[in-house]
Amino acid sequence: MATHQTTIIDIARALGISKSTVSRALTGHANVNEKTRQRILDMAAQVDYQRNQLAISLLTNRTGTVGIIVPEFISFFFPKVIIGAQEEMTKSGYNVVICHSNESYETEVANAKALLASRVDGLIVSHTKETRNFDHFKVFQRKGIPVVFFNRVCEDMNVSNVTVDDYNGAFRAVEHLIQTGRRRIAHLAGPDTLTNSRNRLNGYRDALKQYGLPIDPELIIAYDLNLDKANIYVNHLLNLPQPPDALFAINDPTALEALNIAKRRGLCVPDDLAIVGFSDDPMSALIEPGLTTVAQPVNEIGQQAAYILLKQLLAKGDDFQPERIVLPTNLIIRGSTVKPRSGDL
Amino acid sequence: MATHQTTIIDIARALGISKSTVSRALTGHANVNEKTRQRILDMAAQVDYQRNQLAISLLTNRTGTVGIIVPEFISFFFPKVIIGAQEEMTKSGYNVVICHSNESYETEVANAKALLASRVDGLIVSHTKETRNFDHFKVFQRKGIPVVFFNRVCEDMNVSNVTVDDYNGAFRAVEHLIQTGRRRIAHLAGPDTLTNSRNRLNGYRDALKQYGLPIDPELIIAYDLNLDKANIYVNHLLNLPQPPDALFAINDPTALEALNIAKRRGLCVPDDLAIVGFSDDPMSALIEPGLTTVAQPVNEIGQQAAYILLKQLLAKGDDFQPERIVLPTNLIIRGSTVKPRSGDL
DNA sequence: CTGTTAGCGCATTCAC
DNA sequence: GTGAATGCGCTAACAG
């Protein structure tokens, strides 16, 4: 530590020139004698010179870095979104730093503060399931730093966001269950703090309504997405006097958990219990039977979030109208709802 | 943009005092009149003051941030390691930024440069499968910024690293296959740029040797971990005149791919083909038959990496002796190598 | 083509 | 207990 960082002054001194010239040469400025430039570049390489981004950012009030905050990244969803976003940002010369809030409101606030303190130029975020207060994001807005939400969005902030059509995806999933003969369809929902969770629940409800099926509160359970507990709720549903003949789960991990429980209880999926998930986790195609699920264009979510952020970054102070992108979902039918006809495999 | 960021000077002016006092109050320094301090704190809150970490870092030559570079984070392994590392670093007041090299050498170099430019205090890294030149990491060393490798380590740098006992894990996996009667055991290995890949290959070899089995080059295939190609190699192996009766795969995704191919070809796993993976991906327990695999203490890898980094960060300039931690692995036996006895499920 | 000067926002001496 | 002055490393006017 404390090993003196080589600066442009060191280079300037070593070469007997001024630091301005060094700076110009290093930043690829014109107006530098070709020979001088070469000497500077050589010397810089020789002494391991690395520009100090801190100083530059302090000066230019621009870091060239955007932050992404995600609540988790164990399931494939968030990593894929991040990759999509990162690709686009990198193309435009932005650096991306990723923060992991771990579904903790406190950590999320700390992340936001750290990113604000390090003066990121923009922020892409999907909030935790605990987040009810969005003040830590509103600060960014007030300071003119663009924010884009995705997946889980904040409805009372006037910011851009990227979502999928959760309502319609859920609707079609439940419709599919009805059309294949199910009448008692349960829904293992997410916490009502999450917009996507609420929208999926509404899609579920409306599908039942539209097909004249009763909405049985007994069959709707909202839980905190903690997989350990999914276990309890699925068993609870299956132990009901009139158990469901189908389950629409808030996401694939939950659905896969349900699928395993059903199998372990000796139920036949899809005959005794049909199951539908959400997101098309790669695991859904590997398991047996395959899991019917509502696919999301995951990579594209990240891309779109990046596009919007870039647009907003470019627009600068000008009054930028927030955009709200809704991407389509796609029902993928597999063995957990429909028996494969022989020969299909 | 360009909305003037509120600084301590703004606060000082508003209160008719000097910025020094404001600075002292804000950093929790002693020697500030209690009343003055309160006025300053109130004003700071009122105007949304956020300290500019860039300026502080520039001044103190310390950012309080460490970087983590990982080659991918779609599989569960790297995210879990990151979470483990992040927990520890956060406890000690460090901020963690994550970079994703996407298995691209070029991106990795860019990441390293960016982290260096933003003056991270330390670096935790697992390099890409393309990385043969480690100059972009050696710069950190030369500048006195501690580096800790994990999982995939650089052997010709004198730095700390955290690995698992890949050799022994592989050895015991292959031993298990031999002890359960397999004689033609194939190995779908990783690229020889990766230390863990090489160590696992050695473990495989030595197990065969120790049990007097021939090492058949035909049964050893090193591939680039690109899952699309696993397909080709597995089929190639199964099409051999004398196909293998067991496969030890470099990691679980590869093993799962193999398992699916075997099933699709109508083979019975484990009778016709036994399969072992590496890492105990959660998917391994879900699939049927369950995948026998060599488990790694994933979370602990991250923790240990963080511990070492923190120790090194504390040691500062003092000559710090690099540590090399090797964590144990654990063979988990499932249905892909051993038929469950009835009743076991 | 090159040198001089002036800050970016802040913590930290040193005075008082 | 407080203010004034200094400089972290750099870029961008401004003069030659």
Side-chain angles (χ1 to χ4, degrees):
Chain A
M1 215 57 260
T3 34
H4 171 69
Q5 308 268 340
T6 46
T7 72
I8 51 172
I9 298 188
D10 298 320
I11 299 181
R13 255 201 293 263
L15 261 37
I17 55 181
S18 85
K19 62 173 184 168
S20 316
T21 306
V22 177
S23 170
R24 276 191 280 262
L26 258 25
T27 51
H29 227 274
N31 285 353
V32 181
N33 181 294
E34 194 42 51
K35 258 190 193 153
T36 319
R37 150 173 285 122
Q38 203 49 59
R39 285 176 60 215
I40 294 172
L41 262 37
D42 289 349
M43 178 58 76
Q46 190 190 317
V47 298
D48 262 349
Y49 173 77
Q50 285 289 338
R51 56 195 335 221
N52 187 332
Q53 186 60 43
L54 298 174
I56 300 173
S57 299
L58 183 59
L59 201 55
T60 59
N61 200 25
R62 194 184 160 285
T63 55
T65 297
V66 305
I68 301 188
I69 304 180
V70 296
E72 57 104 352
F73 50 23
I74 288 297
S75 73
F76 91 112
F77 179 83
F78 287 106
K80 276 277 192 198
V81 173
I82 292 172
I83 292 172
Q86 180 164 300
E87 267 171 14
E88 289 312 314
M89 297 308 301
T90 303
K91 270 188 214 160
S92 296
Y94 278 91
N95 213 43
V96 173
V97 305
I98 302 153
C99 289
H100 176 233
S101 64
N102 208 11
E103 294 281 18
S104 149
Y105 170 71
E106 211 177 320
T107 305
E108 183 177 87
V109 173
N111 284 337
K113 285 228 163 105
L115 291 177
L116 197 57
S118 67
R119 295 296 191 266
V120 289
D121 293 336
L123 182 65
I124 296 177
V125 49
S126 186
H127 65 79
T128 79
K129 64 191 180 196
E130 297 178 354
T131 308
R132 293 164 186 283
N133 179 325
F134 292 83
D135 287 349
H136 51 304
F137 295 130
K138 290 179 183 162
V139 190
F140 284 77
Q141 264 195 309
R142 265 180 267 134
K143 293 200 178 296
I145 301 171
V147 177
V148 177
F149 280 88
F150 71 94
N151 179 243
R152 305 166 172 189
V153 306
C154 171
E155 287 174 329
D156 68 294
M157 273 173 75
N158 186 35
V159 292
S160 298
N161 62 45
V162 180
T163 54
V164 297
D165 192 343
D166 291 294
Y167 172 87
N168 188 47
F171 187 99
R172 289 183 50 210
V174 175
E175 185 175 48
H176 164 67
L177 288 170
I178 298 171
Q179 288 175 341
T180 52
R182 278 77 186 199
R183 288 299 171 264
R184 272 184 73 69
I185 302 170
H187 180 33
L188 195 38
D192 71 351
T193 39
L194 306 183
T195 45
N196 56 2
S197 179
R198 294 201 297 273
N199 290 333
R200 291 175 199 175
L201 176 57
N202 288 336
Y204 160 86
R205 282 207 158 98
D206 285 1
L208 292 184
K209 268 189 217 157
Q210 175 152 334
Y211 284 84
L213 291 179
I215 291 175
D216 185 346
E218 202 179 44
L219 294 182
I220 302 178
I221 299 179
Y223 91 118
D224 65 2
L225 303 182
N226 192 333
L227 267 192
D228 301 336
K229 295 198 199 137
N231 193 337
I232 299 172
Y233 297 123
V234 172
N235 275 308
H236 168 76
L237 285 169
L238 295 176
N239 287 334
L240 287 176
Q242 283 195 52
D245 54 11
L247 171 67
F248 170 48
I250 181 71
N251 59 25
D252 277 7
T254 307
L256 291 169
E257 188 73 17
L259 206 162
N260 266 325
I261 293 170
K263 288 200 289 191
R264 218 172 297 144
R265 289 173 68 121
L267 294 180
C268 171
V269 178
D271 290 347
D272 300 330
L273 182 74
I275 302 179
V276 181
F278 211 107
S279 290
D280 194 25
D281 192 298
M283 217 184 294
S284 306
L286 288 180
I287 199 112
E288 273 168 36
L291 180 67
T292 295
T293 182
V294 181
Q296 310 188 46
V298 190
N299 206 70
E300 203 182 339
I301 294 174
Q303 268 185 13
Q304 290 290 344
Y307 284 150
I308 299 183
L309 191 62
L310 285 168
K311 229 189 286 182
Q312 210 154 338
L313 245 18
L314 222 64
K316 300 219 165 180
D318 316 345
D319 55 336
F320 177 85
Q321 280 311 310
E323 287 186 42
R324 297 174 180 233
I325 308 264
V326 180
L327 298 171
T329 55
N330 180 24
L331 183 66
I332 298 186
I333 297 173
R334 298 205 181 93
S336 71
T337 57
V338 173
K339 264 235 157 71
R341 283 172 302 176
S342 62
D344 269 17
L345 190 79
Chain B
M1 217 54 259
T3 34
H4 172 70
Q5 308 268 340
T6 46
T7 73
I8 52 171
I9 298 188
D10 297 320
I11 299 180
R13 254 201 293 261
L15 262 38
I17 55 182
S18 83
K19 60 173 184 167
S20 316
T21 306
V22 177
S23 170
R24 276 191 279 261
L26 257 26
T27 50
H29 226 276
N31 283 354
V32 180
N33 181 296
E34 193 42 51
K35 260 190 194 155
T36 319
R37 151 172 283 123
Q38 202 49 58
R39 284 175 61 215
I40 293 172
L41 261 38
D42 288 349
M43 178 59 76
Q46 189 189 318
V47 298
D48 262 348
Y49 173 76
Q50 285 289 336
R51 55 194 339 218
N52 187 331
Q53 186 60 43
L54 298 174
I56 300 173
S57 299
L58 183 58
L59 201 55
T60 59
N61 199 26
R62 193 183 162 286
T63 55
T65 297
V66 305
I68 301 187
I69 304 181
V70 295
E72 57 104 351
F73 49 23
I74 288 297
S75 73
F76 91 112
F77 179 83
F78 287 106
K80 275 277 192 199
V81 174
I82 293 173
I83 291 172
Q86 179 165 302
E87 266 171 14
E88 290 311 315
M89 297 308 302
T90 304
K91 270 187 213 158
S92 295
Y94 278 91
N95 213 42
V96 173
V97 304
I98 302 152
C99 288
H100 175 233
S101 64
N102 207 12
E103 293 282 18
S104 149
Y105 170 70
E106 212 177 317
T107 305
E108 183 176 86
V109 173
N111 284 338
K113 284 228 163 105
L115 291 176
L116 196 59
S118 68
R119 295 297 190 267
V120 290
D121 294 336
L123 183 65
I124 296 177
V125 50
S126 185
H127 64 80
T128 80
K129 63 191 179 195
E130 298 178 354
T131 308
R132 294 164 185 281
N133 179 324
F134 291 83
D135 287 349
H136 51 303
F137 295 130
K138 290 179 183 162
V139 190
F140 284 77
Q141 264 195 309
R142 266 180 266 134
K143 295 200 177 296
I145 302 171
V147 177
V148 177
F149 280 87
F150 70 94
N151 179 244
R152 305 167 173 188
V153 307
C154 171
E155 286 175 329
D156 68 295
M157 272 174 75
N158 186 34
V159 291
S160 299
N161 62 45
V162 180
T163 54
V164 298
D165 192 344
D166 290 294
Y167 173 88
N168 189 46
F171 188 97
R172 289 183 50 212
V174 175
E175 185 175 49
H176 164 65
L177 288 170
I178 298 171
Q179 287 174 342
T180 51
R182 276 78 186 199
R183 288 299 170 265
R184 273 184 73 69
I185 302 170
H187 180 34
L188 196 38
D192 72 351
T193 39
L194 305 183
T195 44
N196 56 2
S197 180
R198 294 201 299 271
N199 291 334
R200 290 174 200 175
L201 177 57
N202 288 336
Y204 160 86
R205 281 208 160 97
D206 286 0
L208 292 184
K209 269 189 218 156
Q210 176 153 336
Y211 284 85
L213 291 180
I215 291 174
D216 185 346
E218 202 179 46
L219 294 182
I220 302 176
I221 299 179
Y223 91 118
D224 65 1
L225 304 182
N226 192 333
L227 266 192
D228 301 337
K229 295 198 198 137
N231 194 339
I232 299 172
Y233 297 123
V234 172
N235 275 307
H236 168 76
L237 285 169
L238 295 177
N239 287 334
L240 287 176
Q242 283 195 52
D245 55 10
L247 172 66
F248 169 48
I250 180 72
N251 58 26
D252 277 7
T254 306
L256 291 169
E257 187 73 16
L259 207 162
N260 266 325
I261 293 170
K263 288 200 289 193
R264 219 173 296 141
R265 289 174 67 121
L267 294 179
C268 170
V269 177
D271 290 346
D272 300 328
L273 183 73
I275 302 179
V276 181
F278 210 107
S279 290
D280 195 26
D281 191 298
M283 219 184 295
S284 306
L286 287 181
I287 199 115
E288 272 168 37
L291 180 67
T292 294
T293 182
V294 181
Q296 311 188 46
V298 191
N299 205 72
E300 204 182 337
I301 295 174
Q303 267 184 14
Q304 290 290 345
Y307 284 151
I308 299 182
L309 191 62
L310 285 168
K311 229 190 286 181
Q312 209 154 340
L313 246 17
L314 222 65
K316 298 218 168 183
D318 317 345
D319 55 336
F320 177 86
Q321 281 310 309
E323 288 185 42
R324 295 175 180 234
I325 308 262
V326 180
L327 299 171
T329 55
N330 179 25
L331 183 66
I332 298 186
I333 297 172
R334 298 205 181 94
S336 71
T337 58
V338 174
K339 264 240 156 69
R341 282 172 303 176
S342 64
D344 272 17
L345 189 91

